[in-house]
Amino acid sequence: MTGLKPLDLAGARILITNDDGVHAPGIRVLEEIARTLSDDVWTVAPETEQSATSHSLTVRRPLRLRQLEPRRHSVDGTPTDSVVVATAKVLADRKPDLVLSGINLGSNLAEDVTYSGTVAAAMEAALLGLPSIALSLNRRGDHDFRWQTPRAHAARVIRQICAVGFGQDTLVNVNFPDVEPDQVRGVRVVRQGRRDVQTEIVEGKDPGGRPYVWIGDYMRDEALSDDTDLAAIAEGYVSVTPLHLDLTARDLMASLSGAFD
């Protein structure tokens, strides 16, 4: 791809956001990592968890912006709201040079990127012309999240992505595997995968005896083609997937155009 713009992190202004909320453990880990890259790090993130809100924007009510600490703010809205408020209000004097979203509690692989508020925040940054990276940490099982793994590897991954550069209307989706830092097998640049199983639905009754259904997670990951993010994570690699904002199906576009001649 031509026209890539490398980003020099020396003196870069970095904006941190997420979808798990400003008090989530992953955003604190990402702030630590960002401070090894630059001294100019700011956080503007949702006040409460906004997982699976995708690229939603709040337009029917006012938003409350609160300063929690120096260079640390919360917004009572979505990840997309947070990026918009950060760039138009908090950092209006100087826009961020890089937006980092995460580190998400759980992976954002395959079709997850269409639901993910973590990826949507990076997507909004890309729409605003800002280099952006979404970062997530996989977990399989009930053990604690292995935050030590992104702590050990994320800074190098971010630096290398920035050294290559960002194209127009692109963002990068990074996932860390559920292994110890010394068990990470490397980094693989892969395409977005696609699962061939449906989302789990859990049925039950609330304390009042009323029935409910609860949308859960994927019961397992399938369609593990070697060149996908699903396969990379399953094999213990960090997955790096460049995404583009242009969703146009060009083959179908040509066929439809012919139908209306």
Side-chain angles (χ1 to χ4, degrees):
M1 179 178 180
T2 60
L4 293 178
K5 297 181 179 179
L7 175 60
D8 184 1
L9 291 172
R13 171 166 284 189
I14 299 177
L15 170 64
I16 305 292
T17 192
N18 72 349
D19 75 356
D20 289 320
V22 72
H23 302 295
I27 201 168
R28 288 293 192 180
V29 173
L30 187 53
E31 288 167 339
E32 294 172 18
I33 293 164
R35 291 189 187 106
T36 70
L37 304 172
S38 172
D39 295 328
D40 193 6
V41 177
W42 295 72
T43 296
V44 182
E47 190 171 80
T48 59
E49 183 180 350
Q50 299 290 315
S51 296
T53 55
S54 188
H55 201 182
S56 56
L57 186 68
T58 302
V59 296
R60 293 289 184 264
R61 66 171 179 84
L63 295 170
R64 305 295 182 186
L65 173 66
R66 297 178 176 88
Q67 181 170 348
L68 306 176
E69 304 168 22
R71 298 189 181 187
R72 204 163 197 274
H73 297 72
S74 68
V75 176
D76 67 336
T78 68
T80 302
D81 295 333
S82 298
V83 173
V84 171
V85 171
T87 54
K89 172 69 174 174
V90 180
L91 303 178
D93 64 320
R94 178 190 163 193
K95 298 293 190 292
D97 301 297
L98 175 66
V99 177
L100 300 177
S101 181
I103 297 172
N104 192 66
L105 287 156
S107 61
N108 279 305
L109 302 165
E111 55 266 49
D112 296 344
V113 302
T114 65
Y115 309 122
S116 168
T118 303
V119 175
M123 187 180 297
E124 182 63 23
L127 283 169
L128 296 172
L130 304 173
S132 59
I133 304 172
L135 303 104
S136 304
L137 174 60
N138 190 38
R139 183 180 68 169
R140 303 188 67 85
D142 295 328
H143 55 270
D144 291 340
F145 278 88
R146 304 181 198 267
W147 298 114
Q148 60 271 30
T149 300
R151 277 193 175 102
H153 295 280
R156 179 175 65 88
V157 171
I158 293 168
R159 283 194 183 98
Q160 290 180 324
I161 292 171
C162 291
V164 171
F166 298 82
Q168 184 176 0
D169 293 338
T170 61
L171 57 141
V172 179
N173 186 36
V174 175
N175 284 269
F176 296 92
D178 183 20
V179 298
E180 292 296 324
D182 60 354
Q183 295 176 323
V184 173
R185 298 177 64 186
V187 179
R188 288 177 58 187
V189 179
V190 289
R191 66 180 176 88
Q192 179 186 349
R194 179 73 179 268
R195 298 179 178 91
D196 57 11
V197 293
Q198 294 182 339
T199 309
E200 180 184 17
I201 297 292
V202 178
E203 298 186 47
K205 291 185 177 180
D206 67 18
R210 294 176 293 269
Y212 66 79
V213 293
W214 193 328
I215 296 176
D217 201 353
Y218 293 95
M219 291 180 283
R220 64 190 185 280
D221 289 339
E222 298 291 352
L224 299 181
S225 300
D226 290 342
D227 60 343
T228 67
D229 50 7
L230 292 169
I233 289 298
E235 295 169 13
Y237 290 87
V238 177
S239 71
V240 174
T241 302
L243 302 175
H244 201 288
L245 298 180
D246 184 356
L247 302 180
T248 306
R250 301 192 184 280
D251 291 344
L252 180 56
M253 182 178 175
S255 299
L256 287 173
S257 296
F260 291 98
D261 287 343

